[in-house]
Amino acid sequence: MSEKIQVPADMQELCNAFEDSSDDHRYYLDLEIGEIILDFLDSTEREELDEMVDEDSQERYRYLPIAESHEGYEDMKEFIETVKGTHLKEKLYIAISGRGAFRRFKDVLNSYPKDRERWFKFKDEKVMERVNEWLEYEGIELIPKKPIEIKEISSKAWKGFGSRGCLDCENENEFKERYLIISRCPDNEEEQDWLDETLKKKYDIKDYGIVAGVFNDSRGLINSAVCKKCGSHNIFFDF
């Protein structure tokens, strides 16, 4: 048995992508950094991306399966069989007959709060089952993401964009600039809160911006500046 590919991806993000049945959306997983990428490309652009993913980058990217409507329909049928009340069970079976089944099914459950919550849990479990089946098929093992690391660099060492003007006093020359590199950008609200608190306590930075893609990898660049003339943090950066 071949060794599985360890990927630092988030299970909940994968589940959300598996649930998206929009015809205009297509997701793929970056095996190196664990990022789940959504594209909104037209048919021509998507064909070009398909070629890139399937040929040039086969070892790095995997397309996620497109959500099939019949899977959601089968989930509803299975759930109905778990309903204890005969009256509700009959109403739900009637609701999923014909077009508009998903909307009618939800409309019926809106009047039954406990069963509605039970349906959400049931549906989430079914989606997770499909995600785990796909991971097993692709030989992928999800692993925890490494904690975000922060490293400050000298403003003189940074050769990219910089402060260009204060939006409050129109100063264009004197700024106190600071730049920090983070190992990856925050993935959720909890990580964002941690980053805010760390920058505030350890680096005395309250206002900042994050620029992704600067290094063509998972790292991000934090930029912060203060106008030496008026003390404003409302600074325009030239990207």
Side-chain angles (χ1 to χ4, degrees):
M1 182 177 180
S2 60
E3 187 175 345
K4 289 189 175 182
I5 306 169
Q6 294 187 326
V7 181
D10 184 79
M11 172 60 85
Q12 187 56 55
E13 289 183 7
L14 276 172
C15 288
N16 293 341
F18 264 66
E19 279 193 280
D20 189 347
S21 58
S22 172
D23 293 334
D24 298 327
H25 295 174
R26 189 72 191 274
Y27 295 85
Y28 57 98
L29 173 64
D30 186 327
L31 301 181
E32 288 189 10
I33 63 176
E35 183 178 3
I36 300 165
I37 304 166
L38 165 65
D39 78 66
F40 300 89
L41 306 180
D42 60 29
S43 58
T44 301
E45 292 173 322
R46 180 159 288 154
E47 287 178 3
E48 296 175 354
L49 182 60
D50 285 343
E51 293 179 1
M52 180 195 76
V53 173
D54 294 339
E55 297 176 7
D56 298 336
S57 308
Q58 190 173 13
E59 296 304 314
R60 177 167 179 174
Y61 300 101
R62 293 288 190 280
Y63 263 130
L64 271 60
I66 298 175
E68 300 288 348
S69 60
H70 72 84
E71 292 176 335
Y73 186 80
E74 289 301 319
D75 290 346
M76 291 191 296
K77 287 177 62 177
E78 286 188 38
F79 175 77
I80 293 174
E81 286 302 309
T82 70
V83 174
K84 295 181 179 180
T86 304
H87 180 62
L88 175 57
K89 181 178 290 189
E90 291 177 353
K91 291 178 67 174
L92 289 173
Y93 268 123
I94 294 173
I96 64 172
S97 301
R99 298 186 63 178
F102 293 95
R103 177 182 55 79
R104 292 194 301 271
F105 180 84
K106 293 178 181 178
D107 288 344
V108 171
L109 284 179
N110 282 337
S111 300
Y112 299 84
K114 290 183 179 181
D115 287 283
R116 180 173 176 268
E117 290 303 314
R118 203 167 59 81
W119 158 247
F120 288 147
K121 183 178 179 181
F122 180 89
K123 178 172 64 69
D124 289 344
E125 289 174 352
K126 299 299 290 187
V127 172
M128 188 169 291
E129 284 180 14
R130 286 192 277 273
V131 172
N132 283 322
E133 288 173 0
W134 179 78
L135 291 171
E136 185 65 28
Y137 176 80
E138 293 288 346
I140 297 172
E141 177 187 358
L142 298 189
I143 60 175
K145 289 191 175 183
K146 294 181 179 180
I148 297 174
E149 299 177 355
I150 306 173
K151 179 183 179 181
E152 185 164 13
I153 59 175
S154 168
S155 59
K156 294 181 179 179
W158 173 245
K159 304 298 183 182
F161 56 82
S163 304
R164 290 294 179 267
C166 175
L167 298 178
D168 289 330
C169 73
E170 300 183 355
N171 171 39
E172 297 181 353
N173 299 310
E174 299 179 356
F175 305 97
K176 181 182 178 181
E177 298 177 320
R178 298 180 68 181
Y179 297 93
L180 303 93
I181 298 175
I182 50 178
S183 56
R184 61 179 178 83
C185 296
D187 279 334
N188 50 55
E189 186 176 346
E190 183 179 351
E191 288 188 342
Q192 184 63 59
D193 290 342
W194 173 87
L195 183 60
D196 291 342
E197 192 68 16
T198 302
L199 290 174
K200 181 179 178 180
K201 289 184 176 181
K202 188 174 181 179
Y203 298 93
D204 195 28
I205 293 177
K206 298 178 182 179
D207 299 283
Y208 65 92
I210 300 179
V211 184
V214 175
F215 306 104
N216 295 318
D217 55 27
S218 62
R219 293 177 295 168
L221 180 73
I222 290 177
N223 57 287
S224 177
V226 179
C227 175
K228 290 184 178 180
K229 185 176 181 181
C230 71
S232 172
H233 291 266
N234 195 16
I235 307 302
F236 170 72
F237 278 79
D238 181 8
F239 294 93

